[in-house]
């Protein structure tokens, strides 16, 4: 690389740091859990997607280990060449049944699933109507397809109807509405009953990314459609959050849709298949989730207790029912300072700021976990009181 180019990159990094937006990684030296080790320190972890506390569950660890001797370490191949084991098909079939779909297909991550979804299914004669706050992976996936793009303000049903009407007036052959089931920065749930009603009115289909819902929202943890009591056309999701927290994504939907994705979804065709250990642990995670009413109850009890405690201290929270509880701070540097002070107090959180959230809406996104104890939550609330006072937030 040229010296001038490296100087340009260096200046960009220096500006990111000067704006208080530099992301810095702390190195964890323990399994993921409600308490984790960061170097010599033990801290309470309030920012993992480990909603049901399964990331260090002994049965998932055992399932992963037990798969390695008979099935090997890795597949060293994509699925259609020689990368499909019976375990992959077993997990896909179990996921489909769990989600109430005909079939599912595995990807390395849900980012890949969303990235590979739209281009095989939609052409230039078609339209995608996307929520403005959709995850980056949905946005990128839509950019890769040739369908015409429409965007509606988040959860604004009047705007959604206007975009659907416009797409119909402009001659769209097929229309797909794309939305997160849960908007991960805010913890807000998509208005799926209203979206479904508008889809029916304008003969459109509905796709939902359910990464922050699968495993704990709705009956048996089947996700936001089950929570809302509706059926959608396509569901995408992850094994990397409530379902054990490792890696792996999926698309679930009608058999013929999944069959076409196996033929044409580029991240599926050109990426190694998931390792046997991950797939075996995913199968066991699904079994634990289906039996996990107690874990879901504890998760939402913790959520209610945590939200009430923060409100009593005077923090500015976004309203909601989801285990994502954002503490609004406004400025990026304040979010960084607050997170650093909380770490000093024994609580691990991360500041979220532009470009992850809009400028002026920096926050600390706290996330509840079924494995957290009431004593740990009380310690964390005390830490928030100390840090919030020191930083001038409360």
């Amino acid at each position: 690389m040229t010296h001038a180019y490296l100087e340009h990159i260096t200046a960009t990094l220096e500006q990111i740091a000067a704006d208080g937006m530099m992301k810095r990684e702390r190195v964890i030296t323990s399994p993921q859990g409600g308490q984790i080790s960061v170097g010599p320190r033990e801290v309470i972890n309030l920012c993992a997607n480990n909603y049901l506390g399964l990331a260090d569950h002994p049965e998932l660890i055992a399932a992963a280990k037990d798969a390695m001797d008979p099935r090997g370490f890795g597949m060293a191949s994509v699925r259609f060449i020689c990368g499909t084991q019976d375990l992959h098909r077993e997990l896909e079939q179990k996921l489909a049944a769990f989600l109430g779909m005909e079939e599912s297909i595995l990807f390395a991550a849900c980012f890949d699933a969303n990235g590979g979804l739209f281009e095989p299914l939609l052409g230039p004669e078609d339209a995608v109507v996307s929520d403005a706050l959709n995850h980056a992976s949905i946005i990128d996936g839509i950019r890769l397809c040739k369908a015409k793009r429409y965007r509606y303000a988040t959860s604004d049903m009047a705007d959604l109807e206007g975009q659907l009407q416009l797409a119909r007036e402009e001659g769209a052959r097929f229309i797909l509405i794309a939305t997160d089931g849960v908007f991960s920065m805010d913890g807000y749930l998509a208005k799926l009953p209203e979206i479904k009603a508008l889809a029916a009115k304008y003969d459109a289909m509905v796709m939902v990314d359910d990464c922050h819902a699968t495993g704990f929202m709705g009956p048996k943890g089947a996700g936001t459609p089950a929570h809302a009591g509706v059926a959608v056309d396509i569901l995408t999701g992850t094994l990397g959050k409530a379902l054990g927290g490792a890696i792996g994504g999926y698309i679930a939907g009608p058999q013929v849709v999944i069959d076409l994705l196996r033929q044409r979804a580029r991240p599926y065709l050109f990426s190694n298949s998931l390792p046997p250990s991950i797939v075996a642990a995913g199968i066991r995670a699904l079994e634990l989730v289906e039996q996990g009413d107690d874990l879901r109850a504890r998760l939402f009890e913790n959520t209610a207790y945590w939200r009430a405690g923060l409100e009593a201290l005077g923090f500015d929270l976004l309203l909601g029912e989801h285990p994502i509880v954002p503490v609004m701070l406004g400025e990026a540097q304040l979010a960084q300072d607050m997170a650093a002070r909380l770490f000093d107090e024994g609580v691990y959180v991360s500041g979220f700021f532009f470009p992850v959230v809009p400028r002026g809406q920096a926050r600390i996104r706290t996330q509840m976990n079924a494995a957290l104890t009431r004593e740990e939550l009380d310690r964390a609330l005390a830490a928030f009181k100390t840090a919030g006072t020191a930083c001038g937030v409360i």
Side-chain angles (χ1 to χ4, degrees):
M1 292 185 180
T2 66
H3 179 69
Y5 182 74
L6 293 176
E7 282 190 333
H8 165 69
I9 297 298
T10 300
T12 300
L13 289 169
E14 289 172 349
Q15 187 61 54
I16 291 171
D19 292 341
M21 296 180 180
M22 182 67 76
K23 300 169 188 64
R24 306 184 191 279
E25 299 175 1
R26 300 187 183 108
V27 177
I28 298 171
T29 56
S30 68
Q32 184 65 271
Q35 289 201 61
I36 54 176
S37 299
V38 182
R41 298 194 59 192
E42 292 288 322
V43 292
I44 298 169
N45 186 7
L46 297 185
C47 60
N49 299 314
N50 187 24
Y51 294 107
L52 296 177
L54 298 181
D56 62 346
H57 196 288
E59 292 190 35
L60 299 193
I61 295 169
K65 288 179 178 178
D66 290 346
M68 293 181 77
D69 283 338
R71 306 304 172 95
F73 174 67
M75 295 307 302
S77 178
V78 300
R79 288 285 296 273
F80 81 94
I81 299 177
C82 59
T84 300
Q85 288 183 336
D86 53 347
L87 286 178
H88 294 92
R89 290 299 298 132
E90 181 181 352
L91 178 54
E92 287 171 336
Q93 290 161 3
K94 286 182 179 295
L95 273 169
F98 173 66
L99 298 168
M101 294 292 193
E102 288 182 1
E103 183 61 283
S104 77
I105 178 174
L106 292 171
F107 290 80
C110 191
F111 206 107
D112 288 336
N114 288 337
L117 173 67
F118 300 94
E119 189 270 338
L121 302 181
L122 300 170
E125 311 92 341
D126 305 318
V128 182
V129 185
S130 177
D131 191 288
L133 276 189
N134 275 342
H135 191 269
S137 58
I138 297 177
I139 295 168
D140 286 358
I142 293 171
R143 285 172 176 164
L144 291 171
C145 82
K146 293 183 172 62
K148 191 164 184 181
R149 305 164 201 166
Y150 301 81
R151 189 172 75 161
Y152 65 97
T154 298
S155 295
D156 185 331
M157 296 298 99
D159 194 15
L160 172 57
E161 181 163 19
Q163 298 303 317
L164 288 168
Q165 188 172 21
L166 181 59
R168 278 282 165 240
E169 290 171 353
E170 293 183 348
R173 179 182 60 172
F174 303 119
I175 301 175
L176 178 64
I177 302 169
T179 182
D180 284 353
V182 176
F183 296 97
S184 60
M185 288 300 109
D186 301 326
Y188 294 152
L189 275 60
K191 298 176 179 178
L192 291 185
E194 293 94 328
I195 290 171
K196 278 285 295 182
L198 287 172
K201 181 176 179 180
Y202 290 92
D203 192 25
M205 302 170 286
V206 179
M207 166 268 173
V208 174
D209 175 332
D210 229 19
C211 282
H212 286 274
T214 306
F216 59 95
M217 295 295 295
K220 299 300 179 183
T224 51
H227 178 75
V230 300
V232 300
D233 299 287
I234 296 172
L235 268 176
T236 69
T238 183
L239 306 179
K241 293 182 171 60
L243 299 184
I247 196 168
Y250 60 82
I251 300 171
Q255 182 72 57
V256 293
V257 169
I258 303 305
D259 289 346
L260 182 58
L261 291 171
R262 289 195 197 279
Q263 300 304 311
R264 294 185 176 174
R266 291 165 71 85
Y268 180 82
L269 293 172
F270 298 106
S271 295
N272 267 14
S273 54
L274 286 171
S277 57
I278 298 296
V279 179
I283 293 169
R284 184 64 186 125
L286 267 184
E287 294 167 352
L288 292 176
V289 164
E290 289 184 297
Q291 303 160 10
D293 287 346
D294 58 331
L295 292 176
R296 284 182 282 276
R298 197 176 315 136
L299 171 64
F300 285 99
E301 287 168 5
N302 282 349
T303 299
Y305 185 82
W306 177 248
R307 179 177 283 278
L310 289 175
E311 288 174 342
L313 291 172
F315 285 101
D316 179 17
L317 309 181
L318 294 181
L319 298 176
E321 58 183 295
H322 192 272
I324 292 173
V325 183
V327 179
M328 303 304 292
L329 299 169
E331 298 305 318
Q333 191 59 58
L334 178 58
Q336 297 266 50
D337 293 345
M338 180 82 172
R341 185 59 189 259
L342 282 164
F343 187 74
D344 291 340
E345 298 295 323
V347 173
Y348 191 124
V349 294
S350 293
F352 286 74
F353 40 85
F354 184 84
V356 179
V357 296
R359 292 183 189 275
Q361 295 186 31
R363 67 197 67 183
I364 287 174
R365 183 185 72 177
T366 64
Q367 292 168 272
M368 285 295 97
N369 179 332
L372 289 165
T373 66
R374 188 60 55 88
E375 185 270 336
E376 288 168 338
L377 293 178
D378 285 340
R379 283 166 46 204
L381 287 170
F384 263 81
K385 180 178 181 179
T386 298
T389 302
C391 293
V393 177
I394 57 172

